[in-house]
């Protein structure tokens, strides 16, 4: 599914019909495969992530059709897993509750404020409430791993959890419970000053999305660490190019920050950081590894698709600065 998203993005950038055709072909292959074969249900390389990707394309108008109809079969499987096995699921985004919740909220948000359609709004609302309660229970029971990873990791549970709460807060679903959950997590948020600058950027993005007044001074501390930060200060290993824990993830996170907050001075607004990123890409030992493992390196989160996706955005930044 990641390759499909990449080719649609590439087509939007340069209107090359080959990219558009490739995207359509891959989407058809994915759609056929998941309807004819058993596929894991989690977000990372599973049905929740595939359905989320298809929904992005529907929202952008790249795919014609009604989401409830196109995703009905996948949704039925996910409904069953979430309803019956939520207590067995781990916490995180890639293979746990946060990933399922991300998809449920993505589907629920457009339905809020609209007339009920075949009960979909009610179903997604009930699933969201179930997942929210389960997440709250795990956090209260201290069964979530909120410790900062030693290196940059886009899937650090703490900012991922805060980002989910931001979507819940914006949806006004269970506002009193959301307020309580934010109050409960406040001491941890205010005592967390990430050592890695990539993790600092991730926390800064999540906290800004919530805009909790009592967190504003802490937001300023995070911002101070990021102002004019050189790319060399982010501690990326030579081989670290993946979306999950490398340069591609940092580029895409920075792009999302600028998309969400227009006044954000991005890491790659700095000319030196753009050139350093291209040098890092060119000199990385990853390419030698890729030449011997191409069949296993096609993914979005950890593979060439995600890296190419980030290069699209980095090239845009380069063009803007050159102008």
């Amino acid at each position: 599914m990641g390759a499909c998203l990449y080719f649609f993005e590439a087509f939007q950038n340069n209107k090359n019909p080959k990219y558009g055709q490739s995207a359509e072909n891959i989407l058809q292959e994915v759609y056929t495969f998941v309807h004819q074969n058993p596929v894991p249900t989690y977000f990372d390389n599973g049905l929740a992530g595939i359905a989320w990707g298809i929904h992005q394309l529907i929202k952008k108008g790249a795919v014609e059709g009604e989401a409830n109809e196109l995703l009905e079969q996948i949704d039925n499987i996910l409904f069953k897993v979430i309803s019956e096995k939520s207590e067995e699921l781990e916490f995180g985004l890639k293979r746990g509750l946060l990933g399922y919740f991300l998809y449920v909220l993505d589907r629920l948000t457009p339905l809020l404020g609209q007339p009920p359609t075949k009960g979909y709004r009610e179903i997604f609302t009930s699933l969201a409430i179930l997942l929210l309660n389960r997440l709250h229970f795990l956090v209260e029971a201290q069964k979530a791993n909120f410790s900062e990873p030693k290196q940059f990791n886009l899937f650090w549970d703490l900012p991922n959890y805060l980002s989910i709460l931001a979507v819940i807060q914006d949806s006004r679903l269970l506002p009193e419970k959301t307020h309580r959950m934010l109050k409960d997590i406040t001491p941890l948020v205010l005592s967390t000053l990430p050592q890695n600058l990539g993790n600092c950027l991730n926390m800064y993005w999540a906290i800004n999305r919530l805009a909790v007044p009592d967190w504003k001074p802490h937001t300023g501390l995070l911002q101070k660490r990021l102002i004019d930060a050189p790319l060399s200060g982010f501690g990326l290993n030579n081989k670290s190019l993946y979306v999950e824990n490398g340069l591609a993830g940092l580029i895409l996170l920075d792009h999302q920050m600028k998309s969400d907050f227009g006044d954000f001075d991005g890491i790659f607004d700095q000319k030196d950081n753009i050139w350093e990123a291209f040098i890092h890409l060119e000199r990385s030992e990853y390419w030698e590894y890729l030449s011997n493992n191409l069949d296993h390196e096609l993914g979005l989160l950890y593979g060439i698709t995600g890296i190419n996706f980030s290069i699209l955005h980095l090239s845009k930044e380069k063009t803007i600065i050159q102008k």
Side-chain angles (χ1 to χ4, degrees), residues 11-68:
F11 174 69
Q12 291 298 317
N13 282 359
N14 59 30
K15 304 304 180 183
N16 187 327
K18 291 183 179 179
Y19 290 142
Q21 189 60 54
S22 294
E24 292 178 7
N25 291 342
I26 294 172
L27 178 59
Q28 187 58 54
E29 290 175 8
V30 170
Y31 197 77
T32 300
F33 182 85
V34 299
H35 284 80
Q36 295 180 353
N37 299 273
V39 178
T41 57
Y42 41 73
F43 194 84
D44 169 23
N45 202 31
L47 289 179
I50 291 170
W52 179 87
I54 293 173
H55 195 227
Q56 304 314 301
L57 297 175
I58 293 172
K59 290 192 295 184
K60 292 179 179 180
V63 172
E64 295 182 359
E66 210 279 322
N68 294 330

Side-chain angles (χ1 to χ4, degrees), residues 28-161:
Q28 187 58 54
E29 290 175 8
V30 170
Y31 197 77
T32 300
F33 182 85
V34 299
H35 284 80
Q36 295 180 353
N37 299 273
V39 178
T41 57
Y42 41 73
F43 194 84
D44 169 23
N45 202 31
L47 289 179
I50 291 170
W52 179 87
I54 293 173
H55 195 227
Q56 304 314 301
L57 297 175
I58 293 172
K59 290 192 295 184
K60 292 179 179 180
V63 172
E64 295 182 359
E66 210 279 322
N68 294 330
E69 295 179 1
L70 292 175
L71 296 170
E72 182 177 14
Q73 188 171 335
I74 297 177
D75 283 343
N76 288 337
I77 297 172
L78 294 175
F79 294 164
K80 184 177 178 64
V81 170
I82 295 170
S83 299
E84 297 180 0
K85 298 185 177 181
S86 63
E87 295 186 2
E88 302 173 18
L89 298 173
E90 59 184 75
F91 187 85
L93 192 148
K94 289 198 301 180
R95 300 198 172 194
L97 293 164
L98 291 179
Y100 290 103
F101 210 171
L102 179 63
Y103 173 63
V104 167
L105 290 173
D106 192 58
R107 292 296 310 281
L108 174 61
T109 301
L111 299 175
L112 295 173
Q114 296 183 3
T117 306
K118 297 182 180 179
Y120 285 105
R121 188 178 67 186
E122 289 73 14
I123 292 172
F124 281 112
T125 298
S126 65
L127 291 175
I129 293 172
L130 185 155
L131 289 168
L132 187 66
N133 287 331
R134 183 61 184 168
L135 284 175
H136 193 200
F137 170 80
L138 291 177
V139 172
E140 285 191 320
Q142 298 184 346
K143 293 186 177 180
N145 183 12
F146 287 149
S147 300
E148 181 189 1
K150 292 182 180 180
Q151 303 295 328
F152 167 59
N153 195 301
L154 198 61
F155 298 103
W156 176 17
D157 281 348
L158 181 55
N160 289 171
Y161 173 66

Side-chain angles (χ1 to χ4, degrees), residues 229-236 247 250 267-268 270 272-274 276-278 280:
L231 185 62
S232 58
F234 285 79
L236 298 174
L247 179 60
L250 191 62
I267 305 303
F268 298 100
Q270 301 178 47
D272 288 347
N273 281 345
I274 290 180
E276 189 174 343
F278 277 113
H280 186 102

